[in-house]
């Protein structure tokens, strides 16, 4: 589903954020990406979401080299992606429901179907009672959950999340991670960047560790996960 | 699959696509109105400024339209005035009977001295003429309409013949001042075109800048929508609607302003009009003309918005 082949990313005047990173994520696999701040987790996120291009190497999604994808093709590939941003990135003037409906509107789904699916996604993250609330009236944790609902509502092939539980309490974080694990069991490839090692241990999924832009470990999933 | 089931499938697919398309436009429409409502004063001011910029070419266009209509009416109604050598009515009637037999002349009539005086006295400033002169100084005249099917050369030849004909002192064709009017119209069009073009460009620039500011303000939202897989079309549609609304509103303001100015001019122009019809033609821009101004504004709005969004999207990483 997703493959990094010797990927390096450097910025003009700013050193290398990634150095020859290679890994792959298969369909139905849940993978954690860990590392300290500045290790390169967010760069991986930006390369997959096509906000940036690799300086060397290839990032392949569904067999397509993202650096070579044309503008229209990139939009189509993004519709196969579910993105959870660290800073939520919700549209402030729209309700929680409208925010979650947005990917479905972009995909061209009819209004009734959109509403039904968005409502279900919000209920799944425990926000069934806050459908009409605007992001300003939601707590950071609730905003994070709206962001998660928006990412999963379209049932993407690949879900990538950048610190998705950063604003949530431990119990809710664990519930959200279990939701991701459940989505993976249903065939979705899930890649989660986090520095919360406690939750990584509890879920016991495959874990990649980055240090100074290098992939230093690829620990397989524990049998119990 | 049977033919009927396939037909049903195709129809359902077509209906779904149509619904999707309509839904995307409904969303864009809603977004555009929300964007305008969020800044009502700024939106209104933009539409007014654009309306003022467009009003000048709209006004000039209205006057030109009236003059062009007048020109074509005069073209169809060529009228020559013949002044006889003799003021005696029997001589004039004999001359008229002789001319009426000429197939090149469509119609002719005698206008006696009293009627000529009444026409003159109806003009402003001529009311005291009779008191001043004591008697009617005007001669009876013949008003002649040459056949509309005559070629310009044949018309010229007829006029020459009339001028050389015994019994006719003077033959005055209306073509002379019509030619002058046509030359003025041509000059007016030549001046109006570049001015109109410049003002249209100014409108486009104002719209481009307004939409660019709107785009910069919503850059974060645009980025999110693009990351969620929106096509360029999806991103640009609400802005195109904003451009369309602003341009149409500006066109409507320009059409109203030009109509208002023409109405204000009505009083002063009426004093110089040769007859009521001339004034009416100049002062009544057609509904089609006003609609054209609104449509032109809308087209400028769309173009400005399209340009602003394309430039913005092209600059994104």
């Amino acid at each position: 589903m997703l493959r990094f082949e010797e990927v390096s990313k450097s910025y003009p005047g700013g050193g290398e954020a990634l150095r020859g990173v290679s890994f792959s994520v298969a369909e139905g696999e849940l993978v954690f990406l860990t590392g300290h701040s500045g290790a390169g987790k967010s760069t991986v996120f930006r390369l997959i979401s096509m906000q940036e291009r690799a300086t060397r190497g290839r990032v392949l999604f569904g067999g397509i080299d993202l650096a070579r994808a044309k503008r229209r093709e990139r939009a189509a590939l993004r519709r196969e992606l579910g993105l959870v941003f660290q800073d939520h990135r919700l549209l402030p003037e729209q309700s929680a429901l409208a925010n979650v409906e947005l990917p479905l509107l972009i995909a061209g789904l009819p209004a009734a179907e959109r509403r039904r699916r968005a409502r279900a996604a919000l209920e799944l993250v425990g926000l069934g009672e806050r459908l009409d609330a605007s992001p300003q009236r939601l707590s950071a944790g609730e905003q994070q959950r709206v962001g998660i609902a928006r990412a999963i509502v379209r049932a993407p092939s690949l879900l990538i999340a950048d610190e998705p539980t950063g604003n949530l309490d431990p119990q809710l974080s664990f519930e959200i991670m279990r939701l991701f694990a459940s989505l993976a069991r249903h065939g979705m490839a899930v890649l989660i960047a986090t520095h919360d090692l406690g939750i990584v241990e509890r879920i016991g999924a495959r874990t990649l560790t980055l240090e100074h832009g290098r992939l230093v470990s690829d620990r397989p999933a524990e049998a119990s996960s | 699959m049977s033919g009927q089931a396939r037909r049903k499938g195709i129809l359902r697919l077509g209906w779904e696509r149509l619904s999707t398309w309509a839904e995307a436009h409904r969303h864009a429409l809603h977004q555009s109105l929300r964007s305008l409502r969020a800044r009502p004063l700024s939106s209104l001011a933009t539409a007014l400024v654009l309306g003022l910029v467009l009003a000048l070419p709209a006004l000039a266009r209205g006057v030109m339209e009236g003059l062009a209509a007048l020109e074509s009416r005069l073209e169809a109604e060529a009228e020559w005035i013949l002044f006889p050598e003799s003021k005696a009515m029997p001589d004039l009637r004999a001359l008229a009977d002789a001319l009426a037999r000429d197939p090149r002349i469509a119609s002719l009539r005698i206008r006696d001295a009293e009627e000529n005086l009444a026409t003159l006295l109806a003009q402003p400033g001529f009311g005291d003429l009779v008191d001043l002169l004591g008697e009617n100084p005007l001669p009876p005249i013949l008003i002649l309409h040459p056949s509309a099917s005559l070629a310009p050369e044949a018309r010229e030849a007829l006029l020459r013949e009339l001028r050389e004909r015994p019994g006719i002192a003077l033959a005055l064709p209306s073509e002379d001042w019509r030619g002058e009017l046509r030359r003025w119209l041509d000059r007016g069009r030549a001046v109006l075109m570049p001015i109109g073009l410049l003002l249209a460009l100014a409108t486009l620039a104002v719209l481009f800048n307004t939409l660019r500011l709107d785009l910069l303000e919503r850059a974060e939202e645009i980025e999110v929508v693009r990351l969620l897989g929106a096509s360029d079309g999806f991103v640009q549609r609400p802005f195109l609607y904003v451009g369309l609304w602003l341009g149409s509103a500006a066109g409507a303001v320009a059409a109203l302003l030009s109509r208002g100015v023409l109405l204000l001019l009505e009083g002063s122009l009426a004093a110089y009009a040769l007859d009521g019809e001339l004034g009416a033609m100049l002062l009544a821009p057609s509904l089609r003309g006003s609609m054209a101004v609104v449509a032109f504004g809308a087209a400028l709005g769309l173009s400005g918005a399209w340009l602003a969004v394309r430039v913005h999207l092209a600059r994104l990483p």
Side-chain angles (χ1 to χ4, degrees):
Chain A
M1 177 57 60
L2 174 73
R3 200 159 76 236
F4 270 54
E5 291 179 350
E6 291 296 320
V7 174
S8 297
K9 173 70 188 173
S10 54
Y11 297 99
E16 273 193 309
L18 288 181
R19 301 163 193 223
V21 171
S22 297
F23 68 88
S24 60
V25 181
E27 259 176 51
E29 193 177 15
L30 170 67
V31 179
F32 285 113
L33 184 65
T34 64
H36 297 294
S37 288
K41 301 191 297 291
S42 294
T43 305
V44 168
F45 187 89
R46 282 199 296 275
L47 288 173
I48 300 170
S49 57
M50 291 164 271
Q51 295 177 73
E52 288 175 3
R53 284 183 189 184
T55 314
R56 280 190 304 279
R58 296 198 302 167
V59 179
L60 299 149
F61 174 39
I64 297 167
D65 184 350
L66 297 185
R68 288 171 183 269
K70 300 226 172 3
R71 204 176 176 90
R72 200 178 274 255
E73 209 175 359
R74 282 205 298 274
L77 285 167
R78 280 176 175 144
R79 289 197 283 275
E80 289 297 316
L81 271 178
L83 301 173
V84 181
F85 303 94
Q86 193 173 0
D87 54 356
H88 330 311
R89 305 185 90 168
L90 303 176
L91 305 188
E93 292 165 356
Q94 303 206 357
S95 68
L97 188 68
N99 265 286
V100 179
E101 269 188 52
L102 189 57
L104 304 173
L105 179 74
I106 291 168
L109 261 70
E113 177 69 4
R114 283 201 317 262
R115 204 135 304 156
R116 189 186 64 74
R117 284 220 221 167
R119 202 182 284 265
L122 280 164
E123 278 165 7
L124 206 59
V125 295
L127 287 174
E129 304 298 314
R130 316 257 7 222
L131 302 177
D132 297 323
S134 66
Q136 290 101 321
R137 288 172 51 208
L138 296 172
S139 69
E142 286 173 326
Q143 288 183 35
Q144 187 68 290
R145 282 186 278 158
V146 174
I148 291 166
R150 184 178 64 183
I152 63 175
V153 72
R154 207 160 43 188
S157 325
L158 172 65
L159 178 83
I160 55 170
D162 195 6
E163 303 286 358
T165 56
N167 296 301
L168 306 180
D169 62 61
Q171 184 52 39
L172 198 53
S173 297
F174 185 64
E175 291 301 319
I176 291 294
M177 288 302 180
R178 277 180 51 171
L179 170 66
F180 286 150
S182 153
L183 291 169
R185 276 197 297 276
H186 285 90
M188 195 182 289
V190 182
L191 178 66
I192 300 168
T194 182
H195 59 258
D196 186 349
L197 297 177
I199 211 150
V200 171
E201 291 298 323
R202 279 181 79 182
I203 299 292
R206 180 183 162 206
T207 307
L208 307 170
T209 307
L210 285 171
E211 263 182 34
H212 304 298
R214 286 187 194 285
L215 187 65
V216 293
S217 101
D218 184 350
R219 199 186 69 190
E222 289 165 14
S224 60
S225 69
Chain B
M1 191 190 282
S2 73
Q4 197 181 1
R6 201 167 50 217
R7 252 197 318 277
K8 270 188 180 171
I10 291 169
L11 275 175
R12 195 173 57 241
L13 188 69
W15 173 249
E16 276 172 13
R17 284 200 176 160
L18 189 67
S19 306
T20 303
W21 178 85
E23 186 60 24
H25 276 271
R26 192 196 64 79
H27 172 77
L29 192 77
H30 179 72
Q31 290 275 96
S32 68
L33 293 176
R34 207 184 61 190
S35 167
L36 290 173
R37 265 205 314 269
R39 291 179 298 272
L41 280 178
S42 157
S43 307
L44 196 67
T46 306
L48 278 176
V49 167
L50 294 176
L52 284 170
V53 174
L54 281 180
L56 190 62
L59 178 64
R61 190 193 176 283
V63 172
M64 296 297 283
E65 194 182 53
L67 285 173
L70 181 71
E71 184 199 10
S72 53
R73 194 198 78 174
L74 291 175
E75 190 68 47
E77 293 176 14
E79 189 177 84
W80 296 351
I81 298 170
L82 305 184
F83 292 88
E85 284 172 346
S86 163
K87 286 187 180 180
M89 285 306 279
D91 293 344
L92 194 59
R93 282 200 193 94
L95 178 63
D97 289 344
L99 289 174
R101 285 192 288 275
D102 191 327
R104 294 171 299 173
I105 295 168
S107 68
L108 98 169
R109 74 178 179 94
I110 297 169
R111 204 162 82 180
D112 61 28
E114 284 67 37
E115 197 182 340
N116 284 337
L117 183 65
T119 307
L120 185 66
L121 293 179
Q123 304 297 317
F126 287 89
D128 302 330
L129 196 69
V130 177
D131 295 340
L132 203 68
L133 296 174
E135 64 174 28
N136 183 359
L138 299 174
I141 55 171
L142 270 174
I143 296 178
L144 176 153
H145 295 104
S147 169
S149 61
L150 280 186
E153 299 80 30
R155 197 178 282 213
E156 198 61 39
L158 175 62
L159 184 65
R160 243 190 343 263
E161 272 180 44
L162 289 171
R163 279 175 175 161
E164 287 163 7
R165 191 183 179 106
I168 296 176
L170 188 64
L172 283 181
S174 54
E175 277 96 330
D176 286 353
W177 70 270
R178 277 213 320 274
E180 192 62 24
L181 174 67
R182 198 173 301 120
R183 275 190 290 281
W184 273 101
L185 272 173
D186 289 343
R187 275 181 217 142
R189 282 185 191 116
V191 172
L192 197 64
M193 280 296 277
I195 291 177
L197 199 67
L198 279 175
L199 290 171
L201 279 174
T203 310
L204 206 62
V206 173
L207 269 163
F208 176 84
N209 198 46
T210 306
L211 267 297
R212 198 179 63 89
L213 291 174
D214 200 13
L215 280 156
L216 288 175
E217 210 170 275
R218 293 169 59 187
E220 170 80 15
E221 183 182 330
I222 291 170
E223 198 191 341
V224 172
V225 170
R226 286 180 77 229
L227 284 172
L228 294 178
S231 62
D232 286 352
F234 186 93
V235 173
Q236 78 179 7
R237 221 170 278 136
F239 295 98
L240 292 185
Y241 272 111
V242 170
L244 183 70
W245 302 142
L246 285 177
S248 305
V253 168
L256 283 173
L257 276 176
S258 57
R259 265 183 179 258
V261 170
L262 288 176
L263 280 174
L264 281 176
L265 284 176
E266 190 175 22
S268 46
L269 198 66
Y272 300 98
L274 296 177
D275 55 46
E277 250 180 287
L278 172 66
M281 274 190 157
L282 287 178
L283 296 169
S286 64
L287 184 66
R288 224 170 71 179
S290 298
M291 297 296 283
V293 174
V294 176
F296 184 62
L300 278 178
L302 265 179
S303 312
W306 183 85
L307 206 62
V309 182
R310 285 285 144 180
V311 168
H312 183 85
L313 290 178
R315 282 182 181 168
L316 291 178

